Amino acid sequence: LPRVLSGIQPTADSFHLGNYLGAIRQWVAMQETHDTFYCVVDLHAITVEHDPELLRQRTRVSAAQLLALGIDPDRATLFVQSQVPEHPQLSWVMECMAGFGEASRMTQFKDKSARQALDRVSVGLFTYPVLQAADILLYQANFVPVGEDQRQHLELTRDLAQRFNSRFGRTFTLPEAYIVKDTAKIFDLQDPTAKMSKSVPAGVVELLEDPKKAAKKIRSAVTDTGREIVYDTENKPGVSNLLSIYSALTGKSVADLEKAYDGRGYGDLKKDLGEVVVDFITPVQASVRSYLDDPAELDKLLAKGAERARAVAAKTLAQTYERVGFLAG
Ligand code: AQP
């Protein structure tokens, strides 16, 4: 079976609809057809200032959300990144493959570092995409299901893999980004030209927020001038975003939704989508609570996942170390 790896950061109290529709939904579907590895990337989470107890809590909440959303730990290998030491070990080798200029061109780093004084930006934030490359290459992943914002990081991963392979002999599989066009970028409800992102909480629907509040956020989403409910990303980014979310959560096509709302107003669309969202998040929240009720069991499940992940990761690391000229351990 083709291999899949993807990860998500435990940097918020809840995942949001963008994370789910852009990435996790594909993770769940790919369990059926691929050999899947999914991780909560806590090493990435410390690239910005953090609180240790909160990180531990968010790591468990993240794993619980993945399980509640349909990741099956018997089928997928679900683990926490810091429990597989091969990740930072391979990352060092990859750092030595990456050019400083190349890493400097990563737009996510540029965006995130532009907001603060450079002495407050960690070197870890700078090398973040290289660690991400190591995450992927360790598992010889063929596909990486992610949102559009990760495309550039995936290109870097391929470049690093290719460079290593040509310098030291074929070692790594070249991974491909797996990006589903319709949900590649879910937009902020208050600013439908910007990505829905945890950094701007106003227009974000969190999976674990009070369902009433979530419905209200949908009802107060910024829509566009005009009245017609049609999918037109250029002239009607707000309505188009709502239609994308609606379609992805219900399985109804955008064309069918346009027909169903023909002659009706934005208010109807938003009210109905609010209900769709409530119906989606309510059972997820109950399931998350039940996983969190037994943290010892959850930790056990994650430890098992880490063990399975290590078996694969250790093989790739050993081969890499041998190729670069380190003595056998
Ligand atoms: N708005 C989005 N639409 C589609 N996909 C998205 N993803 C994130 N936002 C959207 C995808 O979610 C996965 C997990 O991403 P992450 O762990 O990097 O989460 P994040 O990027 O920290 O989440 P945010 O909200 O996007 O954070 P900031 O504000 O820090 O940038 C990835 O596959 C990502 O593509």
Side-chain angles (χ1 to χ4, degrees), residues 128-171:
Y128 182 117
V130 183
L131 175 59
Q132 187 178 330
D135 298 339
I136 297 164
L137 298 177
L138 268 179
Y139 299 92
Q140 309 287 359
N142 305 95
F143 299 103
V144 185
V146 284
E148 181 62 41
D149 57 341
Q150 291 298 325
R151 193 183 286 280
Q152 192 190 28
H153 289 170
L154 256 296
E155 279 307 311
L156 176 72
T157 303
R158 288 173 62 89
D159 290 345
L160 296 179
Q162 217 149 15
R163 194 169 306 149
F164 188 99
N165 286 350
S166 68
R167 219 177 271 176
F168 300 106
R170 207 188 122 59
T171 309

Side-chain angles (χ1 to χ4, degrees), residues 6-15 19 24 27 39-48 55 58-59 61-63 65-66 81 108 112 125 128 132 149-150 153 195 198:
S6 198
I8 187 153
Q9 296 194 75
T11 39
D13 293 328
S14 169
F15 296 154
N19 299 139
I24 302 165
W27 298 14
C39 54
V40 177
V41 290
D42 56 346
L43 296 174
H44 286 277
I46 67 164
T47 56
V48 290
L55 175 60
R58 286 172 166 178
T59 299
V61 175
S62 297
Q65 286 176 93
L66 293 176
Q81 186 190 27
Q108 194 180 71
K112 292 194 172 177
L125 189 69
Y128 182 117
Q132 187 178 330
D149 57 341
Q150 291 298 325
H153 289 170
K195 180 185 95 155
K198 64 173 182 292

Side-chain angles (χ1 to χ4, degrees), residues 211-233:
K212 282 200 207 86
K213 278 196 193 143
K216 194 166 166 221
K217 280 185 186 169
I218 300 270
R219 286 199 306 271
S220 47
V222 167
T223 27
D224 316 286
T225 51
R227 297 191 36 110
E228 251 183 301
I229 296 175
V230 287
Y231 188 85
D232 173 354
T233 50

Side-chain angles (χ1 to χ4, degrees), residues 46-49 108-127:
I46 67 164
T47 56
V48 290
E49 239 176 81
Q108 194 180 71
F109 174 76
K110 285 200 272 189
D111 290 347
K112 292 194 172 177
S113 60
R115 296 180 211 147
Q116 351 172 21
L118 268 190
D119 272 337
R120 305 208 44 168
V121 175
S122 72
V123 173
L125 189 69
F126 182 67
T127 56

